[in-house]
Amino acid sequence: MFGLDPLLSGLLILCILIACAFEFVNGFHDTANAVATVIYTHTLKPTVAVVWSGIWNFIGVIKGGIEVAMGIVVLLPLEALANQSPMFSVAMVLALLIAAIMWNLGTWYFGIPCSSSHTLIGSIIGVGLAFQFMPQNTANATVNWSKASDIGLSLLFSPLIGFGLAIILMLILLKVVKNKKIFNEPEKDKKPPFWIRGILIGTCTAVSFAHGNNDGQKGVGLVMVILIALVPMHFALKSGEDFRKLAIDANDLTSVISRVDTNQLDPESAGKFRKIIKASGFIATTINTKGSDADLSKEEKLKLRSSITKVNKDFGKLIKENKVTLEKTDQEKAKKSMKHLGALTDYAPFWVILLISLSLGFGTMIGWKRIVVTIGEKIGKTHLTYAQGASAELVAATTIYAASNYGLPVSTTQVLTSAVAGSMVAKEGRN
């Protein structure tokens, strides 16, 4: 398998299966975020609700794109990790997988709506920190703290956004909606009016899709970490790309970089820019002299991947922060070239996306009850009402989907539970 001996092939399969197990656990750990309202309001029977949610989680992963997944991938210094012995890489990967799964299972067992996103990202950063201080790390590689900071901020502020928006939405509903049935506690074993059921099913669907869209991509990113670390020859770069089609982009990017006036850069930016020049030169040389990734050695593939990632991240940031003086046309040319070259590194095979879709979808169909009770009964002083459920889920779906479009992983659990808490605060404040 991928040119590995039987032992390493078996370990690679084991790591991928454990990654799927994490996503399966993520599915039943987070199912309650989508189905709590439709179950607690008797809109749908539990079996129907979790199957419906599972289907839309599956669709969310398939349609989710790759931005969030790549945010997970670039957290670790994969180029340095992939240069270690395969058994070392296996040990690192298994450490982060087992730690993440154990925490997820523990919090699920006790009915705690804990964030799978925090668990996964914390495990990845933990492994990266461990690698940083190991003697094998001769390149002094470390966690991508810039990306970790962006992810940390998104994880920190997204629950606050969910909480605030839910309060606002609930206050608007309390003021403008005349039919007060929507603010009543669900009657035991009695279905809500048809129009309320329609709203609740719609918001359940939206949260399920958004969850698959964001959390599914994290699973895709996790599998790509495994593949790049263990079999970089096959997955460090997108296979089969014709370098001749990228030659113009590589040359345009080098040309734009050469026109930057380095005298106007501050000392820190100047230091980064010297590395950008070196990386862009390697990209141009490699793209212009090689036909495809098949012509590269393992070391060349990892170096090309690292160079593209560095230029896209650091030069893109300098342009965004207006720290380099460039004509508008040069800025647009550079962004276009970086996007095209980034397709070599920012990708996932369809079979990976499908595998994670199935794992998350099937996981969603079980294990919902423990956390549904917490969300439906224990966050506020009273049971969830129709309006609270609908507003909380609408806010959660919108927030999560917006984060996915910006390539930011957020916690479905924290956004939804914060939105439920916000809806409770709004209701209590009006009573």
Side-chain angles (χ1 to χ4, degrees):
M1 184 180 184
F2 301 125
L4 300 175
D5 62 47
L7 175 60
L8 285 175
S9 294
L11 288 171
L12 174 61
I13 293 171
L14 176 64
C15 288
I16 293 173
L17 288 176
I18 294 175
C20 291
F22 170 83
E23 205 60 25
F24 183 85
V25 172
N26 184 10
F28 72 71
H29 190 280
D30 287 2
T31 307
N33 298 318
V35 301
T37 54
V38 290
I39 291 174
Y40 252 84
T41 57
H42 314 297
T43 297
L44 293 175
K45 292 182 178 179
T47 304
V48 176
V50 295
V51 171
W52 180 254
S53 180
I55 291 170
W56 282 98
N57 267 280
F58 175 88
I59 295 171
V61 183
I62 293 291
K63 298 292 184 180
I66 204 71
E67 290 84 1
V68 176
M70 290 303 105
I72 299 297
V73 171
V74 300
L75 276 175
L76 281 175
L78 285 179
E79 292 75 23
L81 190 58
N83 271 322
Q84 307 304 315
S85 72
M87 296 304 293
F88 181 88
S89 298
V90 167
M92 299 288 280
V93 166
L94 286 176
L96 78 88
L97 288 172
I98 293 170
I101 289 175
M102 286 178 63
W103 182 258
N104 258 6
L105 283 174
T107 53
W108 165 81
Y109 180 80
F110 289 105
I112 302 170
C114 182
S115 166
S116 299
S117 304
H118 285 71
T119 304
L120 174 61
I121 291 163
S123 297
I124 290 174
I125 292 175
V127 164
L129 279 172
F131 178 68
Q132 181 178 342
F133 297 105
M134 288 182 175
Q136 290 88 346
N137 184 15
T138 54
N140 293 319
T142 185
V143 174
N144 183 347
W145 290 112
S146 174
K147 188 63 181 179
S149 176
D150 291 342
I151 291 173
L153 289 173
S154 72
L155 290 172
L156 175 64
F157 285 109
S158 53
L160 299 177
I161 292 170
F163 181 79
L165 290 179
I167 290 176
I168 294 169
L169 182 55
M170 269 297 293
L171 290 175
I172 292 171
L173 291 176
L174 285 163
K175 188 170 184 178
V176 303
V177 175
K178 304 301 181 185
N179 190 335
K180 299 305 177 184
K181 282 187 178 180
I182 197 171
F183 304 110
N184 295 337
E185 223 177 87
E187 296 180 42
K188 189 175 181 180
D189 299 326
K190 186 176 179 181
K191 291 181 179 179
F194 181 78
W195 64 278
I196 294 177
R197 291 184 69 198
I199 292 172
L200 291 169
I201 292 171
T203 56
C204 167
T205 303
V207 172
S208 300
F209 180 84
H211 178 258
N213 193 279
N214 198 278
D215 277 53
Q217 284 194 59
K218 295 166 198 164
V220 171
L222 182 56
V223 174
M224 290 307 297
V225 165
I226 294 167
L227 294 174
I228 295 168
L230 300 186
V231 277
M233 275 298 291
H234 294 273
F235 296 100
L237 298 172
K238 189 176 183 180
S239 181
E241 292 294 295
D242 187 349
F243 283 3
R244 290 173 297 180
K245 296 179 180 178
L246 296 171
I248 293 175
D249 293 300
N251 295 333
D252 282 348
L253 183 58
T254 304
S255 177
V256 169
I257 289 172
S258 70
R259 289 196 285 274
V260 172
D261 185 356
T262 56
N263 293 321
Q264 297 184 15
L265 296 175
D266 59 74
E268 182 183 354
S269 298
K272 284 184 179 180
F273 195 73
R274 285 191 289 271
K275 295 178 181 179
I276 291 169
I277 293 172
K278 186 177 180 180
S280 67
F282 179 78
I283 294 169
T285 300
T286 305
I287 294 294
N288 282 291
T289 59
K290 305 291 184 178
S292 71
D293 66 293
D295 299 324
L296 303 178
S297 66
K298 170 187 167 182
E299 289 71 24
E300 288 172 328
K301 285 186 177 185
L302 289 171
K303 188 173 180 180
L304 182 57
R305 177 185 178 84
S306 176
S307 298
I308 291 172
T309 302
K310 176 174 286 296
V311 171
N312 282 6
K313 182 186 74 172
D314 291 344
F315 191 50
K317 189 174 182 180
L318 290 177
I319 292 173
K320 185 178 180 180
E321 295 177 350
N322 294 316
K323 290 188 176 181
V324 291
T325 304
L326 285 171
E327 296 289 336
K328 188 69 175 177
T329 53
D330 277 344
Q331 289 188 27
E332 294 304 318
K333 186 182 290 185
K335 290 176 183 177
K336 180 181 176 183
S337 297
M338 289 189 290
K339 182 179 179 181
H340 290 169
L341 291 168
L344 275 176
T345 59
D346 297 356
Y347 81 100
F350 180 73
W351 66 265
V352 172
I353 297 172
L354 181 61
L355 199 61
I356 294 300
S357 302
L358 292 170
S359 300
L360 186 64
F362 283 125
T364 301
M365 296 181 188
I366 69 167
W368 52 272
K369 191 169 185 179
R370 291 178 184 270
I371 297 174
V372 162
V373 171
T374 301
I375 292 174
E377 296 181 9
K378 298 181 180 180
I379 292 178
K381 296 179 180 178
T382 58
H383 285 213
L384 212 60
T385 67
Y386 303 127
Q388 288 170 327
S391 59
E393 291 208 319
L394 182 59
V395 165
T398 304
T399 304
I400 296 162
Y401 193 73
S404 297
N405 287 335
Y406 283 100
L408 295 171
V410 294
S411 166
T412 303
T413 303
Q414 290 196 348
V415 174
L416 190 280
T417 51
S418 296
V420 170
S423 71
M424 296 282 185
V425 169
K427 184 173 180 289
E428 290 295 323
R430 287 295 298 267
N431 288 343

